[in-house]
Amino acid sequence: MTAPTHRIGEPAWDAWGDPARAHHLTPDQRALIAQVLGVPATTAAPRAAETELRVARSALPPAARAALAAAVGPAHVNTNPAARLRRAGGKSTPDLLRRRAGDVARAPDAVVSPADHDQVAAVLAACAEHGVAVVPFGGGTSVVGGVEPLRGGFAAAITLDLRRLDRLVALDPVARTATLQAGLRTPEAEEVLADFGMTLGHRPQSYEYATIGGYAATRSAGQDSAGYGRFDSMVLALRAATPRGTLDLGRAPASAAGPDLRQLLLGSEGVFGVITEVTLRVRPLPAAEHEEAWGLPDFAAGTEALRALAQGGLRPTLVRLSDPAETFVNAVLAGAPAPQGCLAVVRCEGDAAYVAAARDAAAAALRAVGGAPLGAEPVAHWREGRYSAPYLRDALLDAGVLAETLETAATWSRLPGLRRAVTAALTTALGGGGGPEPLVLCHISHIYPEGASLYFTVATAAGDDPLERWRAAKRAAGDAITAHGGTITHHHAVGTDHRPWLGAEVGDLGVEVLRAVKRTLDPAGVLNPGKLIPASAPGTGRGGGAGSGTESGAEEGRR
Amino acid sequence: MTAPTHRIGEPAWDAWGDPARAHHLTPDQRALIAQVLGVPATTAAPRAAETELRVARSALPPAARAALAAAVGPAHVNTNPAARLRRAGGKSTPDLLRRRAGDVARAPDAVVSPADHDQVAAVLAACAEHGVAVVPFGGGTSVVGGVEPLRGGFAAAITLDLRRLDRLVALDPVARTATLQAGLRTPEAEEVLADFGMTLGHRPQSYEYATIGGYAATRSAGQDSAGYGRFDSMVLALRAATPRGTLDLGRAPASAAGPDLRQLLLGSEGVFGVITEVTLRVRPLPAAEHEEAWGLPDFAAGTEALRALAQGGLRPTLVRLSDPAETFVNAVLAGAPAPQGCLAVVRCEGDAAYVAAARDAAAAALRAVGGAPLGAEPVAHWREGRYSAPYLRDALLDAGVLAETLETAATWSRLPGLRRAVTAALTTALGGGGGPEPLVLCHISHIYPEGASLYFTVATAAGDDPLERWRAAKRAAGDAITAHGGTITHHHAVGTDHRPWLGAEVGDLGVEVLRAVKRTLDPAGVLNPGKLIPASAPGTGRGGGAGSGTESGAEEGRR
């Protein structure tokens, strides 16, 4: 069991990541915001200081506290307000707006930190016995309400902090698999793997903070998904603690031994159990690499090139295509001249033969649609800032700009119509009132033979009630996504925020299946109430009984 | 909706496939069998004639028959003995031995043939209402008891024949997906796809008879899985009828909208619902191809080369490595000189650039372990006979030889130990008694970054009770597989024959999850009783109630 030597610390409570890395807008940027979004350059959004906050007293009943202390040791049941505040929710724009306004009503009643799988199991048993909701927590980077400490009708909710599960359990250099504990942040995982010359290659924007267990529980996708695959596709085996016992799933690289039950835990967002250990595909650190930016005449041409790459035999490791608006805004933010059309970045890494072949395939596909190479510099620039966009978002919130993102995926055939529909929904919902139109930027960053993701970035004047403004826009966008054949989420997961659309995506009967699995593994309904599984329709009489803790969590939800 | 013009007919009732293509052993082959297996060249195993059989009268209650006739039309509720006999089970060696001995006790009480999804749903509703077991049936090629018409405690069992669902529903040339109905056999599916210049590329040994729905329900793997992927990996969306309603799952190429519920239906073997329609990845018919055979010094070296290919960036479409025993036997059967060491066959197909790159990568990996090219002829020879091995098996049964196959998969690290253990288990179980040792041949035919499949072919003297001989050998092999980290099945599925090991593979809690899903989708327990889901342990009190039809099916099972 190897532990990393460099541990990433706790992120800020009211912003993304490391407070020391906070972004500060330049006067030029402020002027541009005034011009484009109509937000005066002197605007300063209110932001509560930690000393002003009143985190409610812990409601954890003494008997439950004693049982939890017995499970993990008294030192690891923390009711300190500062610790609870830092687990009061995730990192979506609404999350930050609420906390910055001093709304910390949803802080958990305790932060419980088990050391290993057995302690996780003991915590779940204690919570099931004492009727305490359990919210699994890794990096806390959810942008869909996934780590919101909802009580779900129970008297108290604890955050189950998995950060002490931070070891490399096993590495198989022949099969190229690594068994990692759930609480490792990505840089920590990469550090222990690099000692063996290996890498995971999973690099989402939340790379610096998100954890192995969180990736598995939310079906994350990294920016290098074209080459390394989505996180769920890297999972050979997993171990999960549930109130009914332990699940150890996956032993072979492929199997026909019934339905693939690993897939019920992947994406289960802590409502069925707590993933404590994941055995993942790893690869040798790349021996060669090549990266290049390309200018494309328009988004349709760029999309066509990406489709050709996805459907060909030689995919790059990373490919990313910005629409003209995003291309323009990124250039302005970088202080660079804005190119015509769209920017694509391509990166290939691996052994030399693969890199050469994939580079040539990418160049051929991009040239075929009128693309022109722009050199490596724009890719290096993008790469240096690849994890920093949330810091810019936070600075925009300070400056009175409502900035947020959302994402979907669909088949190549549906992609253009889906993009138009979502853009129109956001523009209509956030426009009007005589002010400037909102900025709606879009890029493709994950490609598959059958289709691709669409990632939207929105910026608009915050106005008097940015939470309500975003709620309306998000609702309109979600409805447009569902109506136009997209999935409600390609990689952000469901949490509280996407629950209203899950029934449309998997059907009422699919939701019933999820409830049946929930009742089997978590009969008391204490696991992450109010997340993922839609609340029962009133009066249907379904989903009650043992699962009612979960269902009533909906009343605490935001929608 | 396009239907194929060439429909593949019904296979033989007591043998594989087309009776006109039955294999006849040559005198040289008989002499070799006598020498190697000690079976006299004059041995002729008994084989009942169809006219001698007594298929029991249909026990379908009149009310159920009327309800089924209302669902599909009276002409499509067939109680004719010939039709029922041809759906009395699958095509494993024990299946054929039983039927050849005149044991047709398990013929279904009727063959019901719906025309479309709604009729399938109506049949399920009728069976749930009248308490009739339903056994979905496509190509009837199961070798694990998956289509055995067990009644599961109900008064009657029908076979639900899906062959009338034989249309191409939609083809999307941009996303490269095709929606195919469940009852299409592979050559029929390829015919309708070829009209659009597309192919599925799914070519298991059962290619000529197996159906699209069967592939999905059993998580099939084709011989070209290295290039085209396993069948489950090709599925974008599926539609299933259940007694509780319809499931429509899958809309995007990738999603984080909760657990992937498609994966609960893939591999569900008809116990949760009946897959009626599958939307699959298709590809253009290949523009280029290259194939070559290689001689390898030994199995370890060949395995090392296959691992390098699987873990590299450029995989061939097909790769197959026979151990020395299989290499020798195949050469003798072909009348060719037996090469030293192991034979590998490699095939690459796709666009010209990919074929060239993949061919070079394969050659480099094989040369690196001491491989030498043997030209294309051995591959062409293998390809011509790729679907014919079961005909040879049938001829061996006639000649008093017990011949059967089994398969597993594991990580590369575990593969050598697993192969040794399974070979030893089979050799010990079938040896002894002073006769010659059984022949145990092995090949690798499916590779993944983390591991590969192992496929065993066994031939030995049938003896007085070949069914009991094989039962003991299969039990020993299954126990060895489970003990040495293999999956109980890589692509044959679970059926009745692998049920005893499923609990070891997914755990008791995993089995409970399967039961919970079953109770939700099939509360009456009429769907394919006795398959896939292990019977409850006596006295546990679980799995009873609504699901008891399934559980009691175990008593009818063979183990």
Side-chain angles (χ1 to χ4, degrees), chain A residues 172 219 230 244 251 255-256 258 281 413 450 486-487 489 512, chain B residues 172 219 230 244 251 255-256 258 281 413 450 486-487 489 512:
Chain A
D172 181 338
R219 300 175 72 197
R230 295 168 59 83
R244 290 288 318 287
R251 52 165 57 202
S255 173
R281 180 191 314 149
S413 332
E450 302 85 14
T487 175
T489 173
E512 267 199 64
Chain B
D172 180 339
R219 299 174 72 197
R230 293 167 60 82
R244 290 287 317 288
R251 51 165 57 201
S255 171
R281 181 191 314 147
S413 333
E450 302 85 15
T487 176
T489 172
E512 267 199 64

PDB file of all heavy atoms in Angstrom, chain A residues 172 219 230 244 251 255-256 258 281 413 450 486-487 489 512, chain B residues 172 219 230 244 251 255-256 258 281 413 450 486-487 489 512:
ATOM      1  N   ASP A 172      -0.537  -4.020 -11.076  1.00  0.00           N
ATOM      2  CA  ASP A 172      -0.197  -5.191 -11.883  1.00  0.00           C
ATOM      3  C   ASP A 172       0.431  -4.688 -13.185  1.00  0.00           C
ATOM      4  O   ASP A 172      -0.274  -4.231 -14.080  1.00  0.00           O
ATOM      5  CB  ASP A 172      -1.473  -5.999 -12.157  1.00  0.00           C
ATOM      6  CG  ASP A 172      -1.215  -7.250 -12.977  1.00  0.00           C
ATOM      7  OD1 ASP A 172      -0.184  -7.317 -13.685  1.00  0.00           O
ATOM      8  OD2 ASP A 172      -2.052  -8.166 -12.934  1.00  0.00           O
ATOM      9  N   ARG A 219     -19.416   8.660 -13.170  1.00  0.00           N
ATOM     10  CA  ARG A 219     -19.107   8.372 -14.583  1.00  0.00           C
ATOM     11  C   ARG A 219     -18.460   9.577 -15.267  1.00  0.00           C
ATOM     12  O   ARG A 219     -18.919  10.064 -16.312  1.00  0.00           O
ATOM     13  CB  ARG A 219     -20.368   7.917 -15.325  1.00  0.00           C
ATOM     14  CG  ARG A 219     -20.958   6.655 -14.700  1.00  0.00           C
ATOM     15  CD  ARG A 219     -22.273   6.261 -15.334  1.00  0.00           C
ATOM     16  NE  ARG A 219     -22.072   5.728 -16.662  1.00  0.00           N
ATOM     17  CZ  ARG A 219     -23.036   5.610 -17.572  1.00  0.00           C
ATOM     18  NH1 ARG A 219     -24.269   5.993 -17.272  1.00  0.00           N
ATOM     19  NH2 ARG A 219     -22.783   5.127 -18.745  1.00  0.00           N
ATOM     20  N   ARG A 230     -13.408   7.138 -21.261  1.00  0.00           N
ATOM     21  CA  ARG A 230     -14.121   7.663 -20.103  1.00  0.00           C
ATOM     22  C   ARG A 230     -13.699   6.882 -18.862  1.00  0.00           C
ATOM     23  O   ARG A 230     -13.244   5.753 -18.965  1.00  0.00           O
ATOM     24  CB  ARG A 230     -15.630   7.477 -20.280  1.00  0.00           C
ATOM     25  CG  ARG A 230     -16.258   8.231 -21.394  1.00  0.00           C
ATOM     26  CD  ARG A 230     -17.674   7.716 -21.639  1.00  0.00           C
ATOM     27  NE  ARG A 230     -18.526   7.832 -20.464  1.00  0.00           N
ATOM     28  CZ  ARG A 230     -19.165   8.938 -20.108  1.00  0.00           C
ATOM     29  NH1 ARG A 230     -19.064  10.021 -20.845  1.00  0.00           N
ATOM     30  NH2 ARG A 230     -19.912   8.945 -19.019  1.00  0.00           N
ATOM     31  N   ARG A 244     -26.115  -3.266   3.370  1.00  0.00           N
ATOM     32  CA  ARG A 244     -26.412  -4.706   3.356  1.00  0.00           C
ATOM     33  C   ARG A 244     -25.165  -5.567   3.194  1.00  0.00           C
ATOM     34  O   ARG A 244     -25.264  -6.797   3.135  1.00  0.00           O
ATOM     35  CB  ARG A 244     -27.400  -5.017   2.221  1.00  0.00           C
ATOM     36  CG  ARG A 244     -28.819  -4.496   2.427  1.00  0.00           C
ATOM     37  CD  ARG A 244     -29.580  -5.275   3.482  1.00  0.00           C
ATOM     38  NE  ARG A 244     -29.339  -6.710   3.361  1.00  0.00           N
ATOM     39  CZ  ARG A 244     -29.836  -7.495   2.398  1.00  0.00           C
ATOM     40  NH1 ARG A 244     -30.664  -6.990   1.494  1.00  0.00           N
ATOM     41  NH2 ARG A 244     -29.544  -8.764   2.355  1.00  0.00           N
ATOM     42  N   ARG A 251     -13.908  -9.276 -12.409  1.00  0.00           N
ATOM     43  CA  ARG A 251     -12.706 -10.091 -12.249  1.00  0.00           C
ATOM     44  C   ARG A 251     -12.008 -10.322 -13.579  1.00  0.00           C
ATOM     45  O   ARG A 251     -10.838 -10.674 -13.600  1.00  0.00           O
ATOM     46  CB  ARG A 251     -13.016 -11.426 -11.593  1.00  0.00           C
ATOM     47  CG  ARG A 251     -14.140 -12.211 -12.246  1.00  0.00           C
ATOM     48  CD  ARG A 251     -14.164 -13.673 -11.801  1.00  0.00           C
ATOM     49  NE  ARG A 251     -14.272 -13.828 -10.373  1.00  0.00           N
ATOM     50  CZ  ARG A 251     -13.897 -14.943  -9.716  1.00  0.00           C
ATOM     51  NH1 ARG A 251     -13.407 -15.962 -10.385  1.00  0.00           N
ATOM     52  NH2 ARG A 251     -14.039 -15.027  -8.420  1.00  0.00           N
ATOM     53  N   SER A 255     -16.762 -10.282 -19.833  1.00  0.00           N
ATOM     54  CA  SER A 255     -17.492 -11.430 -19.307  1.00  0.00           C
ATOM     55  C   SER A 255     -18.887 -11.463 -19.913  1.00  0.00           C
ATOM     56  O   SER A 255     -19.427 -10.441 -20.337  1.00  0.00           O
ATOM     57  CB  SER A 255     -17.585 -11.315 -17.784  1.00  0.00           C
ATOM     58  OG  SER A 255     -18.429 -12.315 -17.260  1.00  0.00           O
ATOM     59  N   ALA A 256     -19.454 -12.663 -19.944  1.00  0.00           N
ATOM     60  CA  ALA A 256     -20.867 -12.813 -20.302  1.00  0.00           C
ATOM     61  C   ALA A 256     -21.635 -13.413 -19.134  1.00  0.00           C
ATOM     62  O   ALA A 256     -22.698 -13.995 -19.320  1.00  0.00           O
ATOM     63  CB  ALA A 256     -21.004 -13.691 -21.541  1.00  0.00           C
ATOM     64  N   GLY A 258     -23.896 -12.835 -17.024  1.00  0.00           N
ATOM     65  CA  GLY A 258     -25.051 -12.034 -16.643  1.00  0.00           C
ATOM     66  C   GLY A 258     -24.828 -10.557 -16.882  1.00  0.00           C
ATOM     67  O   GLY A 258     -23.818 -10.142 -17.451  1.00  0.00           O
ATOM     68  N   ARG A 281      -7.633   0.466 -15.447  1.00  0.00           N
ATOM     69  CA  ARG A 281      -6.634   0.355 -16.504  1.00  0.00           C
ATOM     70  C   ARG A 281      -5.625   1.510 -16.346  1.00  0.00           C
ATOM     71  O   ARG A 281      -6.031   2.660 -16.167  1.00  0.00           O
ATOM     72  CB  ARG A 281      -7.303   0.466 -17.867  1.00  0.00           C
ATOM     73  CG  ARG A 281      -6.353   0.352 -19.048  1.00  0.00           C
ATOM     74  CD  ARG A 281      -7.043   0.750 -20.343  1.00  0.00           C
ATOM     75  NE  ARG A 281      -8.345   0.127 -20.413  1.00  0.00           N
ATOM     76  CZ  ARG A 281      -9.407   0.634 -21.024  1.00  0.00           C
ATOM     77  NH1 ARG A 281      -9.326   1.799 -21.650  1.00  0.00           N
ATOM     78  NH2 ARG A 281     -10.549   0.005 -21.025  1.00  0.00           N
ATOM     79  N   SER A 413     -25.798  12.965 -35.811  1.00  0.00           N
ATOM     80  CA  SER A 413     -26.932  13.467 -36.608  1.00  0.00           C
ATOM     81  C   SER A 413     -27.739  14.496 -35.837  1.00  0.00           C
ATOM     82  O   SER A 413     -28.283  15.433 -36.414  1.00  0.00           O
ATOM     83  CB  SER A 413     -27.871  12.325 -36.996  1.00  0.00           C
ATOM     84  OG  SER A 413     -27.189  11.114 -37.089  1.00  0.00           O
ATOM     85  N   GLU A 450     -20.330   7.208 -32.544  1.00  0.00           N
ATOM     86  CA  GLU A 450     -21.746   7.529 -32.817  1.00  0.00           C
ATOM     87  C   GLU A 450     -22.121   8.977 -32.545  1.00  0.00           C
ATOM     88  O   GLU A 450     -23.223   9.401 -32.887  1.00  0.00           O
ATOM     89  CB  GLU A 450     -22.662   6.635 -31.975  1.00  0.00           C
ATOM     90  CG  GLU A 450     -22.467   5.147 -32.186  1.00  0.00           C
ATOM     91  CD  GLU A 450     -21.347   4.582 -31.339  1.00  0.00           C
ATOM     92  OE1 GLU A 450     -20.896   5.267 -30.401  1.00  0.00           O
ATOM     93  OE2 GLU A 450     -20.895   3.464 -31.638  1.00  0.00           O
ATOM     94  N   GLY A 486     -30.764  14.725 -26.657  1.00  0.00           N
ATOM     95  CA  GLY A 486     -29.513  14.695 -25.902  1.00  0.00           C
ATOM     96  C   GLY A 486     -29.702  13.991 -24.570  1.00  0.00           C
ATOM     97  O   GLY A 486     -30.832  13.797 -24.102  1.00  0.00           O
ATOM     98  N   THR A 487     -28.594  13.577 -23.969  1.00  0.00           N
ATOM     99  CA  THR A 487     -28.659  13.084 -22.596  1.00  0.00           C
ATOM    100  C   THR A 487     -28.592  14.292 -21.666  1.00  0.00           C
ATOM    101  O   THR A 487     -27.919  15.279 -21.971  1.00  0.00           O
ATOM    102  CB  THR A 487     -27.523  12.097 -22.280  1.00  0.00           C
ATOM    103  OG1 THR A 487     -27.591  11.749 -20.892  1.00  0.00           O
ATOM    104  CG2 THR A 487     -26.148  12.684 -22.549  1.00  0.00           C
ATOM    105  N   THR A 489     -27.031  14.704 -19.106  1.00  0.00           N
ATOM    106  CA  THR A 489     -25.656  14.979 -18.675  1.00  0.00           C
ATOM    107  C   THR A 489     -24.692  13.971 -19.271  1.00  0.00           C
ATOM    108  O   THR A 489     -24.911  12.755 -19.194  1.00  0.00           O
ATOM    109  CB  THR A 489     -25.528  14.971 -17.131  1.00  0.00           C
ATOM    110  OG1 THR A 489     -24.140  15.086 -16.780  1.00  0.00           O
ATOM    111  CG2 THR A 489     -26.110  13.710 -16.503  1.00  0.00           C
ATOM    112  N   GLU A 512     -38.113   2.921 -11.635  1.00  0.00           N
ATOM    113  CA  GLU A 512     -38.552   1.879 -10.690  1.00  0.00           C
ATOM    114  C   GLU A 512     -37.457   0.852 -10.447  1.00  0.00           C
ATOM    115  O   GLU A 512     -37.305   0.344  -9.328  1.00  0.00           O
ATOM    116  CB  GLU A 512     -39.785   1.157 -11.243  1.00  0.00           C
ATOM    117  CG  GLU A 512     -41.072   1.761 -10.767  1.00  0.00           C
ATOM    118  CD  GLU A 512     -42.206   0.765 -10.953  1.00  0.00           C
ATOM    119  OE1 GLU A 512     -42.182  -0.299 -10.315  1.00  0.00           O
ATOM    120  OE2 GLU A 512     -43.089   1.066 -11.782  1.00  0.00           O
TER     121      GLU A 512
ATOM    122  N   ASP B 172     -28.786   5.133 -39.689  1.00  0.00           N
ATOM    123  CA  ASP B 172     -28.294   6.510 -39.651  1.00  0.00           C
ATOM    124  C   ASP B 172     -26.873   6.511 -40.212  1.00  0.00           C
ATOM    125  O   ASP B 172     -25.933   6.113 -39.532  1.00  0.00           O
ATOM    126  CB  ASP B 172     -28.312   6.994 -38.195  1.00  0.00           C
ATOM    127  CG  ASP B 172     -27.824   8.430 -38.050  1.00  0.00           C
ATOM    128  OD1 ASP B 172     -27.111   8.914 -38.954  1.00  0.00           O
ATOM    129  OD2 ASP B 172     -28.158   9.054 -37.029  1.00  0.00           O
ATOM    130  N   ARG B 219     -24.618 -11.146 -24.245  1.00  0.00           N
ATOM    131  CA  ARG B 219     -23.307 -10.462 -24.286  1.00  0.00           C
ATOM    132  C   ARG B 219     -22.306 -11.267 -25.111  1.00  0.00           C
ATOM    133  O   ARG B 219     -21.193 -11.587 -24.665  1.00  0.00           O
ATOM    134  CB  ARG B 219     -22.789 -10.182 -22.875  1.00  0.00           C
ATOM    135  CG  ARG B 219     -23.736  -9.286 -22.097  1.00  0.00           C
ATOM    136  CD  ARG B 219     -23.338  -9.098 -20.658  1.00  0.00           C
ATOM    137  NE  ARG B 219     -22.158  -8.260 -20.564  1.00  0.00           N
ATOM    138  CZ  ARG B 219     -21.383  -8.188 -19.479  1.00  0.00           C
ATOM    139  NH1 ARG B 219     -21.659  -8.913 -18.421  1.00  0.00           N
ATOM    140  NH2 ARG B 219     -20.362  -7.395 -19.457  1.00  0.00           N
ATOM    141  N   ARG B 230     -16.852  -6.237 -28.666  1.00  0.00           N
ATOM    142  CA  ARG B 230     -17.869  -7.203 -28.254  1.00  0.00           C
ATOM    143  C   ARG B 230     -19.241  -6.668 -28.622  1.00  0.00           C
ATOM    144  O   ARG B 230     -19.429  -5.470 -28.787  1.00  0.00           O
ATOM    145  CB  ARG B 230     -17.842  -7.371 -26.726  1.00  0.00           C
ATOM    146  CG  ARG B 230     -16.614  -8.006 -26.174  1.00  0.00           C
ATOM    147  CD  ARG B 230     -16.595  -7.819 -24.654  1.00  0.00           C
ATOM    148  NE  ARG B 230     -17.737  -8.426 -24.007  1.00  0.00           N
ATOM    149  CZ  ARG B 230     -17.836  -9.714 -23.703  1.00  0.00           C
ATOM    150  NH1 ARG B 230     -16.844 -10.525 -23.985  1.00  0.00           N
ATOM    151  NH2 ARG B 230     -18.913 -10.191 -23.104  1.00  0.00           N
ATOM    152  N   ARG B 244     -44.059  -5.631 -17.035  1.00  0.00           N
ATOM    153  CA  ARG B 244     -44.432  -4.372 -16.413  1.00  0.00           C
ATOM    154  C   ARG B 244     -44.424  -3.213 -17.392  1.00  0.00           C
ATOM    155  O   ARG B 244     -44.704  -2.067 -16.990  1.00  0.00           O
ATOM    156  CB  ARG B 244     -43.489  -4.062 -15.250  1.00  0.00           C
ATOM    157  CG  ARG B 244     -43.644  -4.964 -14.021  1.00  0.00           C
ATOM    158  CD  ARG B 244     -44.924  -4.668 -13.240  1.00  0.00           C
ATOM    159  NE  ARG B 244     -45.160  -3.250 -13.111  1.00  0.00           N
ATOM    160  CZ  ARG B 244     -44.454  -2.430 -12.320  1.00  0.00           C
ATOM    161  NH1 ARG B 244     -43.509  -2.920 -11.555  1.00  0.00           N
ATOM    162  NH2 ARG B 244     -44.715  -1.140 -12.284  1.00  0.00           N
ATOM    163  N   ARG B 251     -29.689   6.902 -25.404  1.00  0.00           N
ATOM    164  CA  ARG B 251     -29.979   7.930 -26.395  1.00  0.00           C
ATOM    165  C   ARG B 251     -28.725   8.639 -26.860  1.00  0.00           C
ATOM    166  O   ARG B 251     -28.713   9.253 -27.915  1.00  0.00           O
ATOM    167  CB  ARG B 251     -30.981   8.948 -25.864  1.00  0.00           C
ATOM    168  CG  ARG B 251     -30.619   9.540 -24.509  1.00  0.00           C
ATOM    169  CD  ARG B 251     -31.436  10.798 -24.207  1.00  0.00           C
ATOM    170  NE  ARG B 251     -32.859  10.585 -24.240  1.00  0.00           N
ATOM    171  CZ  ARG B 251     -33.756  11.565 -24.411  1.00  0.00           C
ATOM    172  NH1 ARG B 251     -33.326  12.817 -24.579  1.00  0.00           N
ATOM    173  NH2 ARG B 251     -35.034  11.312 -24.411  1.00  0.00           N
ATOM    174  N   SER B 255     -22.968   8.845 -21.495  1.00  0.00           N
ATOM    175  CA  SER B 255     -23.814   9.604 -20.588  1.00  0.00           C
ATOM    176  C   SER B 255     -23.332   9.416 -19.167  1.00  0.00           C
ATOM    177  O   SER B 255     -22.687   8.416 -18.838  1.00  0.00           O
ATOM    178  CB  SER B 255     -25.264   9.120 -20.720  1.00  0.00           C
ATOM    179  OG  SER B 255     -26.078   9.696 -19.721  1.00  0.00           O
ATOM    180  N   ALA B 256     -23.649  10.402 -18.322  1.00  0.00           N
ATOM    181  CA  ALA B 256     -23.424  10.260 -16.873  1.00  0.00           C
ATOM    182  C   ALA B 256     -24.757  10.354 -16.143  1.00  0.00           C
ATOM    183  O   ALA B 256     -24.800  10.690 -14.962  1.00  0.00           O
ATOM    184  CB  ALA B 256     -22.460  11.331 -16.383  1.00  0.00           C
ATOM    185  N   GLY B 258     -26.759   8.724 -14.370  1.00  0.00           N
ATOM    186  CA  GLY B 258     -26.987   7.581 -13.486  1.00  0.00           C
ATOM    187  C   GLY B 258     -26.370   6.309 -14.025  1.00  0.00           C
ATOM    188  O   GLY B 258     -25.661   6.312 -15.039  1.00  0.00           O
ATOM    189  N   ARG B 281     -23.843   0.111 -33.374  1.00  0.00           N
ATOM    190  CA  ARG B 281     -22.798   0.720 -34.184  1.00  0.00           C
ATOM    191  C   ARG B 281     -22.582  -0.135 -35.431  1.00  0.00           C
ATOM    192  O   ARG B 281     -22.471  -1.352 -35.338  1.00  0.00           O
ATOM    193  CB  ARG B 281     -21.491   0.775 -33.391  1.00  0.00           C
ATOM    194  CG  ARG B 281     -20.340   1.413 -34.152  1.00  0.00           C
ATOM    195  CD  ARG B 281     -19.018   1.182 -33.421  1.00  0.00           C
ATOM    196  NE  ARG B 281     -19.177   1.461 -32.022  1.00  0.00           N
ATOM    197  CZ  ARG B 281     -18.533   0.840 -31.039  1.00  0.00           C
ATOM    198  NH1 ARG B 281     -17.650  -0.091 -31.306  1.00  0.00           N
ATOM    199  NH2 ARG B 281     -18.748   1.155 -29.783  1.00  0.00           N
ATOM    200  N   SER B 413      -2.056 -11.494 -16.288  1.00  0.00           N
ATOM    201  CA  SER B 413      -1.239 -12.072 -15.213  1.00  0.00           C
ATOM    202  C   SER B 413      -1.763 -13.428 -14.784  1.00  0.00           C
ATOM    203  O   SER B 413      -1.005 -14.305 -14.395  1.00  0.00           O
ATOM    204  CB  SER B 413      -1.218 -11.159 -13.993  1.00  0.00           C
ATOM    205  OG  SER B 413      -1.411  -9.827 -14.350  1.00  0.00           O
ATOM    206  N   GLU B 450      -6.392  -5.454 -20.613  1.00  0.00           N
ATOM    207  CA  GLU B 450      -6.125  -6.038 -19.287  1.00  0.00           C
ATOM    208  C   GLU B 450      -6.034  -7.568 -19.299  1.00  0.00           C
ATOM    209  O   GLU B 450      -5.660  -8.157 -18.286  1.00  0.00           O
ATOM    210  CB  GLU B 450      -7.223  -5.639 -18.299  1.00  0.00           C
ATOM    211  CG  GLU B 450      -7.395  -4.148 -18.121  1.00  0.00           C
ATOM    212  CD  GLU B 450      -8.293  -3.537 -19.169  1.00  0.00           C
ATOM    213  OE1 GLU B 450      -9.003  -4.284 -19.865  1.00  0.00           O
ATOM    214  OE2 GLU B 450      -8.273  -2.308 -19.310  1.00  0.00           O
ATOM    215  N   GLY B 486     -10.734 -16.594 -13.062  1.00  0.00           N
ATOM    216  CA  GLY B 486     -11.391 -16.419 -14.352  1.00  0.00           C
ATOM    217  C   GLY B 486     -12.871 -16.125 -14.171  1.00  0.00           C
ATOM    218  O   GLY B 486     -13.440 -16.355 -13.098  1.00  0.00           O
ATOM    219  N   THR B 487     -13.490 -15.605 -15.215  1.00  0.00           N
ATOM    220  CA  THR B 487     -14.953 -15.477 -15.209  1.00  0.00           C
ATOM    221  C   THR B 487     -15.537 -16.803 -15.674  1.00  0.00           C
ATOM    222  O   THR B 487     -14.945 -17.485 -16.525  1.00  0.00           O
ATOM    223  CB  THR B 487     -15.435 -14.326 -16.099  1.00  0.00           C
ATOM    224  OG1 THR B 487     -16.876 -14.340 -16.116  1.00  0.00           O
ATOM    225  CG2 THR B 487     -14.955 -14.463 -17.544  1.00  0.00           C
ATOM    226  N   THR B 489     -17.793 -17.384 -17.581  1.00  0.00           N
ATOM    227  CA  THR B 489     -18.061 -17.391 -19.030  1.00  0.00           C
ATOM    228  C   THR B 489     -17.690 -16.052 -19.653  1.00  0.00           C
ATOM    229  O   THR B 489     -18.084 -14.995 -19.169  1.00  0.00           O
ATOM    230  CB  THR B 489     -19.534 -17.717 -19.337  1.00  0.00           C
ATOM    231  OG1 THR B 489     -19.771 -17.523 -20.753  1.00  0.00           O
ATOM    232  CG2 THR B 489     -20.493 -16.816 -18.573  1.00  0.00           C
ATOM    233  N   GLU B 512     -28.710 -10.997  -5.040  1.00  0.00           N
ATOM    234  CA  GLU B 512     -29.926 -10.362  -4.491  1.00  0.00           C
ATOM    235  C   GLU B 512     -30.369  -9.165  -5.332  1.00  0.00           C
ATOM    236  O   GLU B 512     -31.567  -8.918  -5.505  1.00  0.00           O
ATOM    237  CB  GLU B 512     -29.658  -9.883  -3.065  1.00  0.00           C
ATOM    238  CG  GLU B 512     -30.039 -10.886  -2.021  1.00  0.00           C
ATOM    239  CD  GLU B 512     -30.193 -10.203  -0.675  1.00  0.00           C
ATOM    240  OE1 GLU B 512     -31.094  -9.353  -0.519  1.00  0.00           O
ATOM    241  OE2 GLU B 512     -29.383 -10.521   0.218  1.00  0.00           O
TER     242      GLU B 512
END
